Amino acid sequence: MQIETLEIGTRQADWDAYVDNHSDGNFFHLSGWQSVIKNSYKHKDHFIYATDEENQIIGVLPLFEQKSRLFGHALVSTPFCVYGGAIANNNEIKHQLESAAIKLAEDLQVDYLELRYKSLQDNEKFITKNAHSYFTYPLAESDEKILAGIKKKQRAVIRHALKENLNVNFDAQVKDVHDIYSESVRNLGTPVFPARYFYQLKKVFGERCEFMTVSKENDILSAVLSFYYKGEVAPYYGGGVQEARHYKSNDLMYYALMCHAHNERNCHSFDFGRSKNESGAYKYKKHWGIEPQPLYYQYYLVKAAELPNLSPNNPKYKIFINLWQKLPVRVSQFLGPFLSKYLG
């Protein structure tokens, strides 16, 4: 077995074919992230893979190096993605990839190595942290049955929104979605990702990346960027303006996306993404009747003395968050990318 490094323009097709055919391969393992993150944020990529004696790929591990005086120096699989880590033909190969990542982390003298797994791992070299959960919902065979499967109180909210004569657009402009998302995260006190990141996602992933808006007459209330992969739709970057609460447009957006994904894109599953345990977003998703599944993020400390905590719930960020919420949206769009590039 050999451990090799993936260079842009070499074996991307082989890498993606391996991810496509591996039971644990997900959208965030795809080689496209190599160019998306590199072109959007200039982070150094370290995509490593294992090959057998016939030069066939038998395991992959996407990694990026993030370096900031403010937020530290880390090697992550994969930043800006909820899932990552190594996938391989068997545990022995996976552990070899993880060991190669540890050696790389030590050579780079990062603070820590972070691998993001959906399932509990058996590698004793790592410290496991369960601070987030993810939510998936099976899509029934009709709009009515999809709605019937949603928890009663949330179902009533969606029915209320359906009476508001809102307009749903599944072919929205990237700028419109980014503008709504920018205002939404500004209201939360979080630095926004740059618009070029959204454009890069669309450029690289094409039809697997979809932009959707919900409007009242000519005013966009809610918007979301979603990913499609292996029969699953994942609304990934979404939000709404203040008026969205009144019209329940966020709720309609997610329900309409469920129906659209099933009817038009042949999806069987809805991935509602990750949320920090017991946070507002966590409770909102549970309100839909979707049960949380724990995420297992693994850490190997190199220079760091303790596990990182970049969560908005960290008390030391409270003053910053309060100040950020008062910024004009255009100012937050200008300043946000300088900070958010290290908050993946």
Side-chain angles (χ1 to χ4, degrees):
M1 186 185 75
Q2 298 289 327
I3 302 292
E4 303 183 44
T5 301
L6 183 73
E7 301 294 340
I8 292 179
T10 55
R11 298 192 67 178
Q12 273 91 354
D14 293 339
W15 175 296
D16 287 342
Y18 185 81
V19 175
D20 290 344
N21 291 294
H22 195 288
S23 59
D24 292 330
N26 62 66
F27 186 77
F28 304 106
H29 283 114
L30 293 173
S31 67
W33 288 97
Q34 188 177 29
S35 56
V36 165
I37 295 177
K38 192 171 185 176
N39 292 336
S40 299
Y41 301 104
K42 310 302 180 186
H43 294 317
K44 173 64 178 173
D45 59 289
H46 301 274
F47 276 41
I48 60 176
Y49 62 97
T51 58
D52 61 17
E53 58 187 7
E54 297 178 350
N55 201 31
Q56 297 297 307
I57 293 179
I58 54 176
V60 302
L61 174 53
L63 292 160
F64 274 95
E65 182 182 359
Q66 294 180 296
K67 192 173 186 179
S68 163
R69 290 184 179 180
L70 183 61
F71 299 110
H73 188 190
L75 188 63
V76 184
S77 178
T78 302
F80 312 100
C81 301
V82 294
Y83 317 129
I87 56 173
N89 285 14
N90 56 52
N91 278 342
E92 181 181 353
I93 299 169
K94 185 167 73 171
H95 289 163
Q96 290 288 340
L97 285 166
E98 290 171 336
S99 294
I102 287 174
K103 183 180 185 305
L104 177 61
E106 291 175 337
D107 290 345
L108 295 172
Q109 280 296 285
V110 298
D111 297 325
Y112 60 90
L113 166 66
E114 178 181 341
L115 305 181
R116 301 175 176 180
Y117 285 110
K118 290 180 72 174
S119 58
L120 187 62
Q121 303 297 301
D122 61 355
N123 195 328
E124 296 179 355
K125 296 178 181 179
F126 289 83
I127 301 169
T128 300
K129 182 179 180 181
N130 170 224
H132 296 85
S133 296
Y134 70 98
F135 298 75
T136 58
Y137 178 72
L139 298 177
E141 61 268 25
S142 69
D143 296 1
E144 293 76 16
K145 289 185 177 180
I146 289 174
L147 184 59
I150 296 169
K151 205 170 181 179
K152 185 176 180 180
K153 288 184 178 179
Q154 183 60 33
R155 199 162 63 235
V157 172
I158 295 169
R159 287 200 172 110
H160 172 84
L162 287 168
K163 298 176 182 177
E164 293 289 348
N165 294 319
L166 301 176
N167 301 310
V168 177
N169 178 14
F170 289 101
D171 189 26
Q173 296 297 309
V174 176
K175 184 182 183 302
D176 289 339
V177 175
H178 185 264
D179 283 348
I180 297 298
Y181 177 72
S182 298
E183 183 170 344
S184 181
V185 297
R186 188 283 312 268
N187 293 341
L188 294 172
T190 304
V192 69
F193 297 121
R196 67 176 178 273
Y197 174 48
F198 280 36
Y199 283 100
Q200 276 291 314
L201 287 167
K202 184 61 177 177
K203 178 182 177 180
V204 172
F205 294 115
E207 292 302 310
R208 288 176 169 174
C209 181
E210 184 178 72
F211 294 83
M212 171 190 179
T213 57
V214 179
S215 307
K216 181 67 175 178
E217 297 176 350
N218 294 321
D219 296 323
I220 300 175
L221 303 174
S222 301
V224 65
L225 181 166
S226 301
F227 299 134
Y228 290 87
Y229 189 61
K230 291 186 176 180
E232 186 168 67
V233 58
Y236 205 66
Y237 295 117
V241 298
Q242 295 288 357
E243 292 85 351
R245 288 175 175 261
H246 173 74
Y247 292 105
K248 314 298 183 188
S249 56
N250 284 358
D251 306 276
L252 175 67
M253 176 174 70
Y254 293 124
Y255 169 64
L257 179 60
M258 289 178 178
C259 299
H260 169 77
H262 177 269
N263 298 335
E264 305 299 329
R265 303 291 294 260
N266 296 315
C267 289
H268 54 75
S269 181
F270 181 84
D271 182 346
F272 220 163
R274 78 170 186 184
S275 293
K276 189 168 182 62
N277 294 340
E278 301 305 324
S279 66
Y282 175 98
K283 293 174 182 176
Y284 173 73
K285 292 169 186 178
K286 282 196 70 176
H287 191 67
W288 282 68
I290 308 173
E291 285 303 310
Q293 304 295 321
L295 284 171
Y296 299 95
Y297 287 5
Q298 290 200 304
Y299 296 86
Y300 180 86
L301 304 184
V302 180
K303 293 178 66 177
E306 58 184 14
L307 294 177
N309 183 9
L310 299 180
S311 168
N313 294 332
N314 189 330
K316 74 178 184 179
Y317 298 134
K318 187 174 182 180
I319 294 176
F320 171 82
I321 289 172
N322 290 338
L323 290 172
W324 197 267
Q325 289 172 322
K326 296 179 174 63
L327 289 177
V329 174
R330 295 304 177 194
V331 175
S332 72
Q333 285 180 321
F334 175 75
L335 295 176
F338 294 103
L339 297 172
S340 63
K341 66 181 293 186
Y342 302 112
L343 299 175

